[in-house]
Amino acid sequence: MHENLLLIFTRNPELGKVKTRLAKTVGNETALSIYTFLLHKTKDIAAKVTSDKAIYYSVRIRENDLWDPAIFQKNLQIGSDLGSRMLHAFKNGFTAGYKKVLIIGSDLYDLTPEIIEKAFSELADNDLVVGPAEDGGYYLLGMKSLHPKIFKNKDWGTATVREKTLEDLKDKKVLLLQELNDVDIFEDIEHHPAFQHFLK
């Protein structure tokens, strides 16, 4: 067992259930294609990171999908909102004996293995590491002990999440990584070269 654990939160790729805000502009079929494309990208990024890895599915655990069980521990997200689901996953990681636990989502084209490795190494000198997303949330969160407070009393999916999270951590040593853009709405991909073939 490695002492670092990377958690990856995904939604089961089902028509009409993923990237619903994006689908309002591009339609459900294209939104699903884009999400599947992002899942493959996330898998490729994660596979290059030197840590243990756990995938957390939104609805049901799938066998024989793109997540190879020899590389990715397979789990189900448990909880009534995103905060409680993340808290549960972090708790699992620390209970299993990991020293540093880090979470990412699966809708970031611009994330790299180097950014994730940097986040793990920065935890040597910081209590937490946060990857700020352009929409006011975060694309990455890492810690070396559990901080349950940050998973409570947030309006998940809104622009206040990161600000409120950092308020909860004002007495902790927090490192902010570079800002990245996750893919939620049409404007996030409109001019991005990687997505042009979906928009033709």
Side-chain angles (χ1 to χ4, degrees):
M1 178 171 131
H2 206 283
E3 48 178 51
N4 296 347
L5 177 66
L6 177 64
L7 307 169
I8 304 153
F9 264 36
T10 74
R11 287 182 181 277
N12 289 74
E14 292 167 5
L15 190 66
K17 302 281 178 67
V18 294
K19 294 285 148 231
T20 48
R21 286 188 288 168
L22 179 61
K24 285 177 185 153
T25 315
V26 300
N28 284 331
E29 304 271 350
T30 302
L32 179 60
S33 299
I34 289 171
Y35 187 63
T36 306
F37 171 67
L38 287 166
L39 281 179
H40 282 273
K41 175 79 176 170
T42 304
K43 181 203 71 166
D44 294 343
I45 294 164
K48 296 186 177 100
V49 175
T50 53
S51 70
D52 285 357
K53 298 155 191 108
I55 180 98
Y56 274 80
Y57 293 86
S58 60
V59 186
R60 65 185 71 82
I61 294 174
R62 285 284 166 96
E63 306 307 325
N64 310 318
D65 61 358
L66 74 157
W67 305 99
D68 177 355
I71 302 172
F72 298 94
Q73 307 163 18
K74 296 193 172 196
N75 304 276
L76 193 61
Q77 296 175 27
I78 294 173
S80 55
D81 65 5
L82 180 60
S84 56
R85 294 196 291 267
M86 287 197 289
L87 177 58
H88 173 259
F90 271 99
K91 205 178 272 179
N92 278 357
F94 287 120
T95 304
Y98 290 98
K99 302 282 186 284
K100 298 174 183 175
V101 182
L102 202 146
I103 193 167
I104 58 170
S106 46
D107 47 11
L108 265 136
Y109 185 82
D110 297 321
L111 188 59
T112 64
E114 291 74 25
I115 294 172
I116 299 171
E117 297 283 12
K118 176 180 163 63
F120 276 126
S121 65
E122 291 287 0
L123 280 171
D125 302 312
N126 295 279
D127 298 317
L128 297 98
V129 176
V130 175
E134 285 176 16
D135 62 8
Y138 48 79
Y139 63 83
L140 177 153
L141 177 67
M143 59 191 79
K144 50 192 179 187
S145 62
L146 196 60
H147 299 272
K149 186 179 175 185
I150 62 177
F151 299 110
K152 296 171 180 162
N153 306 315
K154 304 287 178 297
D155 293 321
W156 299 104
T158 70
T160 62
V161 171
R162 182 173 74 243
E163 182 192 342
K164 293 270 195 286
T165 302
L166 293 173
E167 269 172 34
D168 288 342
L169 296 170
K170 54 183 180 288
D171 57 340
K172 302 280 182 267
K173 195 171 176 202
V174 181
L175 179 97
L176 289 178
L177 299 164
Q178 71 201 78
E179 189 172 78
L180 293 179
N181 186 25
D182 47 13
V183 175
D184 287 314
I185 55 174
F186 180 65
E187 287 69 24
D188 295 332
I189 61 168
E190 190 176 3
H191 303 297
H192 196 305
F195 296 95
Q196 294 313 303
H197 63 288
F198 291 109
L199 306 179
K200 290 275 186 291

